[in-house]
Structures are given as structure tokens and as C-alpha cells.
Amino acid sequence: MAALATGGATPSDGATSFQRKVPASSRLAAIAGTRPSVRHGQLLLSSGLPSLDCVLGGGLAVGTLLLIEEDKYGIYSNLLFKYFLAEGIVCGHNLFVASAKEDPADILKELPAPLFDDVHKNQVDEKETAIKSKPESQESMKIAWRYQNLPKIEVSPAASVRFGHYYDLSKTVSPELLQSIKWHRFFLPEEMSLHPEIKTCNMTCGYTKLLQSIQRIIYQEGFDGSYPQKKQKNILRIGIQSLGSVLWGDDVCCADNPEDIHSLTKFLYVLRGLLRMSLSACIITVPAHLIQNKAIMERVTNLSDTVVGLESFIGSERETNPLYKDYQGLIHVHQIPRLNSLICDVSGTKDLAFRLKRKLFTIERLHLPPDLSDTVSRSSKQDLAESTKLLSSGCGAMAIGKKHLDF
């Protein structure tokens, strides 16, 4: 009876009715810089920013595409692009960098320097010491009795176990670390000068050459699993900068009805097929604010797995608004993939903002100051109401009502 209850296993085998033996061949391979997801079983890798990994449900799944909608001046989207590549260098992954604007070699030289565990631990200890050394007057500040027993809210979204590394934006990666990894480049001006112009399947020449280069590397380097016995498995990180811009030969940013209206969407469709069949992950930055036809942008979003938008305060009214003095912009998570499940793993926080310090780029929960009726002027109240209305429409988590903030 005991053998029947345990599915034919004896107590000496160490198996119970709640455990199932899995063959060693079907287990996920241990690849550096990856971990299996607890929720859907997919292999995850870090985006290079631990706070972004937490927002995306633990990290970026292998075989998926992360689309970054660039901010107006492309400053902060370029930082996320560099974080993704820098994480690949630290983990020993192979890189494929494609650009039509900057030389990929120059992009790698400008990647931020990693902060390893001992350095980061010292910085965290100093930060905690500074927090504990605050005057007791601030801790004993009296608040309403109904809020005294509520738990304190952490500003920065963080997982229970840290995944990924931290980087110092004031320093660049060392040449020795760059030489230790294998990377491939695709610089469109060079490719156009070396090979004759071709155009197939109503796709621009730049997109066709880029797909051919990615496909060749995936097959030749064995990222499709064709040579499992010959070499150790590794991850290919693909980074494509400012896809869809005029420099790529696409007129999607110049006209409402471009000549090759399906060129960009066809490229993404084929690229996702290559990602699904290989141990690779891709990050693409797109100047979404320049694409005039919104229907095209909707198709681009649907053909991507994860879509994150950056809204910078540079040149807007919020740049001088005292309510947003601690932040440089907002983060909008438009889409998260549903992997092996009916629902996607979405963070409970919707109102997200980012701030750029001298050495660090962080994503935090957006907190607006309270409305103090006795000390706030009427104009400040109007600014607060308008900012709250914009925030509710942009991030979608703030309730719309008569009150400015819902405590």
C-alpha cells in the first residue's frame, strides 16, 4: 500500500506522493547570470537594473523582447540600453550590439562600471547608518492615530532576493573586462558600404541585413541548441538602438502614411521567431514620440513581449513643478508577457518614477506631497490638482475624484 501511495517509490528512495522525480535531461540548465522563475518556470535574466527587474516580475525571460519607448531626448532610454549590455558583460554572456547612429565599439566603451558585492555592501551599510543616525525628533513626529500602526512603505521596489548587479554611472567599464567577453557588432553605415543594397519582402535594406546577421550568429554560435555537446550553453544578449528612426532607412517617423508601412512590424515578427527558438534576449529602443501613425505603434507594441515607456520632465512644465523636484521622469509599464499562465506577473505599484543621481539610476514609487490647507496657496493647490490628474491618466493607478490625494 505504501508503494501505491507514493507512486511506486519506497521510503528509502526519499520520494513522497507530493514529489515527482524529473529526469536530469529535462531540468533547466545552469547558465551564469540566469535563474528559473518561480511563477511560470521560464529562465530569467537581469535587465541590469534590479528595481526594473522587480517591476517586470523578476527579470527578463529568455527568448523574449523588451521594447523601450525612448524619452524625448533619448537620454534615459540610452541608460537602460547600457545597463542591459553591462549586465551581460558581468555575467559573461555574448553580446550583439546594433546601431545606425553610434559605433557599437564606442557604445561598449561607455558602459557603466559594475559595483561588486563588497563595494555595494559597504555603500548599503553607510546608507543604513545614515538613516539610523537621523534625529529622534523626526521619528517621534506625531501623525493621525489611524495611520500609526500601518507598515512603512518602501520607496524603491525590490525583490526578496537580489538579482543582477549595481553599476556606477560616473565610471566606465574596464578594458580588461571588455576583452574577457565575446561580442558582435552591426553598424549600419559599414554594412551598407560593404554589401550591395537589397530589399526583400517589403522590408528595408537595413532591417534585412540586421536579421541576416542575427540569424547567422544564432546558428553559427549554437544558441539554437544545435550543438549541445560541443560547447557550454550561454546567453546571447541582443541590443538594437533607435530602431525605426530615419537612420535605419525607415520613413515611419517622417510621414503619417509611410511607403514601407509594414517594414518595422515584419522585422519584429521575424525577430521574435528567432528569439523563441534560441537562448537569447533582446532590448530595442524605439523613438515612439516620433512615430506619427499611432496604429503602427500599436502593432509594434503587440509584437513585443515587454513594453516600457519613459516620460522625461525635460522641457515640460513638470521640470519646474516643485511637486516633482526629486524626480527626472515617469516610468510607464505598458505590457508584460503572459508566460505559461493566463495572467501576467504585474507589480502592485503602478505609479513609478525614476531619478538620476551622479552614480546611480533608480526606479521608485512616486510620492506626491500632501495638500496642507493652511500653508499651501491656491495656485499650488491648482498645480497639485492638475498634476494628480495627469498622473492618473498617465500611470492609471491614482483614483480620479474631488480629493487631490486619496490617503
Side-chain angles (χ1 to χ4, degrees), residues 43-149:
L43 202 62
L44 300 179
L45 51 86
S46 175
S47 64
L49 197 61
S51 55
L52 181 60
D53 293 337
C54 181
V55 171
L56 299 181
L60 185 63
V62 174
T64 59
L65 169 64
L66 171 60
L67 184 73
I68 303 294
E69 296 182 359
E70 297 180 0
D71 52 291
K72 189 174 181 180
Y73 297 98
I75 299 175
Y76 305 105
S77 59
N78 195 27
L79 286 178
L80 296 183
F81 185 79
K82 292 180 179 180
Y83 272 122
F84 180 81
L85 298 177
E87 182 68 20
I89 292 178
V90 175
C91 298
H93 297 162
N94 290 22
L95 302 182
F96 179 86
V97 186
S99 175
K101 179 175 59 175
E102 299 181 58
D103 194 328
D106 296 336
I107 295 177
L108 292 183
K109 292 178 182 179
E110 297 175 356
L111 295 183
L115 293 174
F116 295 101
D117 294 339
D118 52 351
V119 179
H120 178 259
K121 184 177 182 302
N122 296 333
Q123 291 184 354
V124 172
D125 293 341
E126 292 177 359
K127 185 176 180 181
E128 292 179 353
T129 304
I131 295 176
K132 292 180 181 179
S133 62
K134 287 184 178 181
E136 296 182 357
S137 59
Q138 296 183 2
E139 297 180 357
S140 61
M141 182 177 63
K142 294 182 179 181
I143 59 176
W145 60 271
R146 62 182 297 182
Y147 304 122
Q148 290 179 357
N149 296 326

Side-chain angles (χ1 to χ4, degrees), residues 199-204 260 262-263 266:
K199 183 176 181 181
T200 58
C201 300
N202 295 327
M203 193 182 300
T204 61
D260 299 325
H262 299 295
S263 183
K266 285 184 178 181

